[in-house]
Amino acid sequence: MYELLREELHARRGRFTTPHGVVQTPVFMNVGTQAAIKGALSAEDLERVGCQIELSNTYHLHVRPGDSLIRDRGGLHRFMTWDKPILTDSGGFQIFSLAELRSIKEEGVTFHSHVDGRKIFMGPEESMRIQANLGSDIAMAFDECCKIPSPYEYVKASCERTTRWLARCKKALAAYTSEDEAVNPGQLLFGINQGAVFADLRVEHMKQIAELDLPGYAIGGLAVGETWQEMYDTIEIVEEHMPKDRPRYLMGVGTPGNIIEGVARGVDFFDCVMPARNGRHGHLFTWNGIINIKNEKYLRDDTPIDPSCGCPVCRRYSKAYLRHLFKAEEMLAMRLSVAHNLYFYNDLLKRIRESLDEGRFGAIRDEFSKKLDKRI
Amino acid sequence: MYELLREELHARRGRFTTPHGVVQTPVFMNVGTQAAIKGALSAEDLERVGCQIELSNTYHLHVRPGDSLIRDRGGLHRFMTWDKPILTDSGGFQIFSLAELRSIKEEGVTFHSHVDGRKIFMGPEESMRIQANLGSDIAMAFDECCKIPSPYEYVKASCERTTRWLARCKKALAAYTSEDEAVNPGQLLFGINQGAVFADLRVEHMKQIAELDLPGYAIGGLAVGETWQEMYDTIEIVEEHMPKDRPRYLMGVGTPGNIIEGVARGVDFFDCVMPARNGRHGHLFTWNGIINIKNEKYLRDDTPIDPSCGCPVCRRYSKAYLRHLFKAEEMLAMRLSVAHNLYFYNDLLKRIRESLDEGRFGAIRDEFSKKLDKRI
């Protein structure tokens, strides 16, 4: 399913085939947590910002409106009218970051919904059932995402459990996707590597999950408090042990610079709430760095956010107008800003792919890796 | 500039030519108070919902971002990237409903901005200067909008002053639009009839302002607390004295039923915040009445808001998805709902125009005048 087209040092240009079409990698996945993009972007807008693959959240959709309701509507693709690939996370990250009063056992996790306080149990089988109901193209394994820092012994035991959970995930998803009424019989499972920033645990865990021969592997549990250097070091250490013929997904990362550095270390898939969240606050990405559109200096600026950007917002609206929308507290401010930022991220990945096609990724990395993350 | 194409009893089918194109009447004007449509609708969306003419607010834009800033950007059309007709109100209504600590004199009104408390003076000349700076196609006269009920003597004196203000508006706008640097030299002035619900004052005032031979006339000061019957009676009384060869604009009205009844009484232009405001609360117009999309009964409803509606929302999204978006508090909920409601209003006026073209407006009125305002 994954085809490696070209390499430049550790960076990889590839393509990954899913039941809803081919994803050109490296790729940024646009986050629609609750089956909608924050900032009022519609499914049509997602197409216009160049999104190849959308990411939704198992935990949120299980809590509201419920995954069986979505299954009965024909699955997530039909429910949100998005006909291209969808990846769903496993719920693990949200359970360990959002939900309250967790109790972790070998079977799974008991927690309370952040919406109505209702008690919910989720283990590998439940997570796979929910994701099978949603009918995403890529289901993520149910894992425990340890805090950084966490004690070595805790992380070690957690990784061992996550490995046992992964075997249960594989078995459960195989069963659910072969049911007659399966929403997406071709649904694929990605395993998730954990181990905090302990190199030996990361490597040991990666070796164990690689044995399960899954369609893809993610590096999870990063961008949760460690330094960028620790994150990069961890990727380098793990990457050596990841199967070359499977895509690698760095979960929840990151800034444009983080993504460039991730690609340089062999990562193929990325996702992050940053472009949407920053957009809602008026922080806009440009090819020269990050601007704050609310700044006084844009009061009378008739130029677009970035004259070199081809997005629908830059082709039509001025900075002066966008600034006015923020100051007047018009919802349109957020929508246009999020649209621009998501286009920027998708465009960044497109430019990275083109540079890999032409053997000049190194030059892109040198030019943009630091520049794009700077506030100007 | 106004061409009366056809009549059916008092109802009129016409067209009105402005510097930014022809408006087919009767028409609903889509309200973009602060140079943006509430609910995150963009200028492209306005085109998609079938908007012919947009309405913005002099008072709001004067306060923020400032009309001279907009003039320096090339005027409101360029600032908000809307190339079709724009009408601006005079600020009068907002001054008398929003602003604090007003003091009314013959010269004009002193008040405090609702945004920053700053003291502002606005009279006929100031209102015309602001609207000339904005460069709208239709400028509205600066008037006093009396509360209902107000004492007879107060309203009488107010109307007399509004007439004197109108003469000053006409003179001022003529001067401003003939300046070399005028943003929109073809800008047109509409007078506004006042008089609360006092028939004799309404008629007397209408006769006086008709003498000024303006390109159009509005009925103002209605839909501010009187009954629908009082409103309809007032329209009928005034309409007799409105020039037949000029368009008539019923300000701030109203429900679909109000609009049908207004057309039946000879009105050509309407505007109202209702479709956008109701949309943001999940109250959606259909050809069978008004639904509340948050209602439990739509939880598993895979049909569009209205199967007979051709809007981009009804062509793509289900009620179940829209309800989920509201429950999940996604901004997209508001955007899709406002888009549907505005399309509905523009479509209603389109159907009314078609019925007038074919001499069957009476049948449309009989079928829809009551039905469309009902909650179902």
Side-chain angles (χ1 to χ4, degrees):
Chain A
M1 275 152 296
Y2 176 75
E3 197 182 343
L4 178 58
L5 301 173
R6 217 188 140 99
E7 287 175 292
E8 186 175 331
L9 299 176
H10 285 262
R12 295 143 50 92
R13 172 75 178 90
R15 79 184 149 214
F16 187 67
T17 304
T18 80
H20 283 83
V22 172
V23 176
Q24 300 292 338
T25 63
V27 67
F28 179 75
M29 298 187 281
N30 297 237
V31 181
T33 304
Q34 304 187 101
I37 306 293
K38 298 285 174 201
L41 265 71
S42 67
E44 292 103 316
D45 288 332
L46 262 194
E47 289 160 18
R48 294 173 76 199
V49 299
C51 172
Q52 291 193 73
I53 170 166
E54 194 266 354
L55 184 156
S56 284
N57 288 81
T58 286
Y59 167 83
H60 285 98
L61 294 173
H62 174 61
V63 168
R64 183 174 55 195
D67 48 284
S68 58
L69 182 141
I70 292 178
R71 176 201 60 212
D72 294 346
R73 313 268 78 67
L76 195 48
H77 289 89
R78 256 181 91 175
F79 185 60
M80 66 182 291
T81 75
W82 173 252
D83 203 28
K84 294 184 180 175
I86 296 177
L87 178 145
T88 42
D89 72 357
S90 65
F93 182 78
Q94 280 72 31
I95 291 170
F96 291 101
S97 61
L98 272 185
E100 283 169 20
L101 297 169
R102 299 178 302 270
S103 128
I104 313 175
K105 295 190 177 160
E106 184 62 25
E107 298 75 42
V109 187
T110 304
F111 59 95
H112 291 266
S113 149
H114 73 292
V115 171
D116 57 10
R118 169 167 62 101
K119 197 166 152 184
I120 301 176
F121 172 78
M122 198 185 291
E125 291 76 15
E126 288 73 20
S127 174
M128 292 303 114
R129 171 50 79 195
I130 296 167
Q131 295 184 73
N133 283 345
L134 298 174
S136 57
D137 297 285
I138 302 170
M140 295 304 297
F142 186 71
D143 62 337
E144 180 182 356
C145 180
C146 296
K147 279 184 208 150
I148 293 179
S150 282
Y152 182 89
E153 287 306 322
Y154 183 88
V155 177
K156 186 168 188 288
S158 166
C159 282
E160 286 163 4
R161 187 170 50 215
T162 287
T163 305
R164 293 191 296 275
W165 280 358
L166 181 57
R168 284 164 58 190
C169 284
K170 187 180 175 185
K171 196 176 157 195
L173 191 67
Y176 300 151
T177 51
S178 27
E179 289 171 352
D180 285 346
E181 64 273 31
V183 174
N184 190 350
Q187 195 169 27
L188 305 162
L189 177 64
F190 279 19
I192 304 177
N193 170 256
Q194 291 287 353
V197 286
F198 301 114
D200 61 329
L201 296 182
R202 282 278 175 189
V203 168
E204 179 56 28
H205 189 242
M206 189 60 236
K207 284 181 182 169
Q208 285 173 6
I209 64 176
E211 283 171 22
L212 283 165
D213 192 26
L214 298 170
Y217 289 94
I219 304 176
L222 290 181
V224 294
E226 79 287 3
T227 66
W228 284 6
Q229 196 53 56
E230 285 176 309
M231 175 172 79
Y232 295 148
D233 291 346
T234 304
I235 301 168
E236 285 176 25
I237 289 160
V238 173
E239 192 263 343
E240 259 189 78
H241 303 279
M242 299 182 97
K244 277 212 171 302
D245 58 348
R246 305 297 151 91
R248 296 91 173 260
Y249 164 24
L250 179 59
M251 302 181 81
V253 173
T255 67
N258 292 156
I259 288 176
I260 292 172
E261 292 305 311
V263 169
R265 288 167 176 80
V267 175
D268 308 297
F269 282 67
F270 299 87
D271 81 284
C272 193
V273 295
M274 183 178 280
R277 181 174 293 164
N278 283 14
R280 295 202 300 283
H281 294 100
H283 299 141
L284 306 179
F285 294 98
T286 81
W287 290 96
N288 288 309
I290 302 162
I291 68 169
N292 182 346
I293 193 68
K294 296 189 225 174
N295 197 304
E296 178 80 16
K297 69 179 166 186
Y298 302 122
L299 182 64
R300 294 169 183 274
D301 190 329
D302 297 327
T303 64
I305 301 164
D306 186 332
S308 74
C309 175
C311 89
V313 181
C314 285
R315 286 203 310 264
R316 182 151 188 166
Y317 300 101
S318 68
K319 290 206 226 24
Y321 182 62
L322 281 169
R323 183 181 186 280
H324 162 65
L325 295 178
F326 269 105
K327 290 293 170 182
E329 295 177 12
E330 286 286 344
M331 276 174 57
L332 183 57
M334 294 197 194
R335 177 181 160 205
L336 297 181
S337 297
V338 172
H340 167 80
N341 275 0
L342 287 182
Y343 184 97
F344 182 88
Y345 263 64
N346 292 312
D347 194 31
L348 168 64
L349 275 290
K350 184 162 168 265
R351 294 198 196 187
I352 289 173
R353 289 193 299 274
E354 286 166 358
S355 76
L356 285 166
D357 285 336
E358 296 162 12
R360 50 175 183 76
F361 170 68
I364 289 275
R365 183 183 178 188
D366 289 346
E367 184 176 358
F368 293 115
S369 180
K370 290 210 168 58
K371 190 177 177 180
L372 299 185
D373 290 358
K374 275 197 193 127
R375 303 201 169 269
I376 54 172
Chain B
M1 275 150 295
Y2 176 75
E3 196 183 344
L4 179 58
L5 301 173
R6 218 189 140 99
E7 287 176 292
E8 184 174 332
L9 299 177
H10 286 261
R12 296 143 50 92
R13 172 75 177 91
R15 78 183 150 214
F16 186 66
T17 304
T18 81
H20 283 83
V22 173
V23 176
Q24 300 290 341
T25 64
V27 67
F28 178 74
M29 297 188 282
N30 297 236
V31 181
T33 303
Q34 305 188 100
I37 306 294
K38 298 284 176 204
L41 265 70
S42 66
E44 293 102 316
D45 288 334
L46 262 193
E47 289 161 17
R48 294 174 77 200
V49 300
C51 171
Q52 291 193 73
I53 170 168
E54 193 266 353
L55 184 156
S56 285
N57 288 82
T58 285
Y59 168 82
H60 285 97
L61 293 174
H62 175 61
V63 168
R64 185 176 51 197
D67 48 285
S68 58
L69 183 141
I70 291 177
R71 176 201 60 208
D72 294 345
R73 312 268 79 68
L76 196 48
H77 289 89
R78 256 182 91 176
F79 186 60
M80 66 182 293
T81 76
W82 173 252
D83 203 29
K84 293 182 179 175
I86 296 177
L87 179 145
T88 41
D89 71 358
S90 66
F93 182 78
Q94 280 72 29
I95 291 170
F96 291 100
S97 61
L98 272 185
E100 284 169 20
L101 298 167
R102 298 178 303 271
S103 128
I104 312 176
K105 296 192 175 158
E106 185 61 26
E107 298 75 42
V109 187
T110 304
F111 59 95
H112 291 266
S113 150
H114 74 293
V115 170
D116 56 11
R118 170 167 61 101
K119 197 166 152 182
I120 300 176
F121 172 78
M122 200 185 290
E125 291 77 13
E126 289 72 21
S127 174
M128 291 304 114
R129 171 50 79 195
I130 296 167
Q131 294 184 75
N133 283 345
L134 297 175
S136 57
D137 298 286
I138 303 169
M140 296 304 299
F142 187 72
D143 61 337
E144 180 181 0
C145 179
C146 296
K147 279 183 210 151
I148 293 179
S150 283
Y152 182 90
E153 287 305 324
Y154 183 88
V155 177
K156 187 167 188 286
S158 166
C159 283
E160 287 162 4
R161 186 170 49 214
T162 287
T163 306
R164 294 191 295 276
W165 281 357
L166 181 58
R168 285 165 57 190
C169 285
K170 187 180 175 184
K171 195 175 157 200
L173 191 67
Y176 300 150
T177 50
S178 28
E179 290 170 348
D180 285 344
E181 63 275 30
V183 175
N184 190 349
Q187 193 168 29
L188 306 161
L189 177 65
F190 279 19
I192 304 177
N193 169 257
Q194 291 287 353
V197 286
F198 301 115
D200 61 330
L201 297 182
R202 282 276 176 188
V203 168
E204 179 56 27
H205 189 241
M206 188 61 236
K207 286 181 181 168
Q208 284 173 4
I209 64 176
E211 283 171 23
L212 283 164
D213 192 25
L214 298 170
Y217 289 94
I219 305 176
L222 291 180
V224 294
E226 80 285 5
T227 66
W228 284 6
Q229 196 54 55
E230 286 176 307
M231 174 171 80
Y232 295 147
D233 291 347
T234 304
I235 300 168
E236 284 175 25
I237 290 161
V238 174
E239 191 264 344
E240 261 189 78
H241 303 278
M242 299 182 98
K244 275 211 171 302
D245 58 350
R246 305 295 151 94
R248 297 90 173 261
Y249 164 25
L250 179 59
M251 301 180 84
V253 174
T255 67
N258 292 156
I259 288 177
I260 293 171
E261 292 305 313
V263 169
R265 287 165 177 81
V267 176
D268 307 297
F269 282 66
F270 299 87
D271 82 284
C272 193
V273 296
M274 183 178 281
R277 182 172 292 164
N278 283 14
R280 294 203 299 285
H281 293 102
H283 298 140
L284 306 179
F285 294 98
T286 81
W287 291 95
N288 287 310
I290 301 162
I291 69 168
N292 182 347
I293 194 67
K294 296 190 226 173
N295 197 304
E296 178 80 16
K297 70 179 165 186
Y298 302 122
L299 182 64
R300 294 169 183 275
D301 190 328
D302 297 325
T303 64
I305 301 164
D306 186 332
S308 75
C309 175
C311 88
V313 180
C314 286
R315 285 203 310 265
R316 181 150 189 166
Y317 300 100
S318 66
K319 289 208 230 15
Y321 182 63
L322 281 168
R323 182 181 186 279
H324 162 64
L325 294 179
F326 269 105
K327 290 293 171 181
E329 295 176 12
E330 286 287 343
M331 277 173 57
L332 183 58
M334 296 197 193
R335 177 180 160 204
L336 297 180
S337 296
V338 171
H340 168 81
N341 275 0
L342 286 182
Y343 184 99
F344 182 88
Y345 263 64
N346 291 313
D347 194 33
L348 169 65
L349 275 291
K350 185 164 169 261
R351 295 198 196 188
I352 289 172
R353 290 193 298 273
E354 286 166 358
S355 77
L356 286 165
D357 285 335
E358 296 162 13
R360 49 175 183 77
F361 171 70
I364 288 276
R365 183 183 179 188
D366 289 346
E367 184 176 356
F368 293 115
S369 180
K370 288 208 168 60
K371 189 179 179 179
L372 299 185
D373 291 357
K374 275 195 192 131
R375 301 202 169 269
I376 54 172

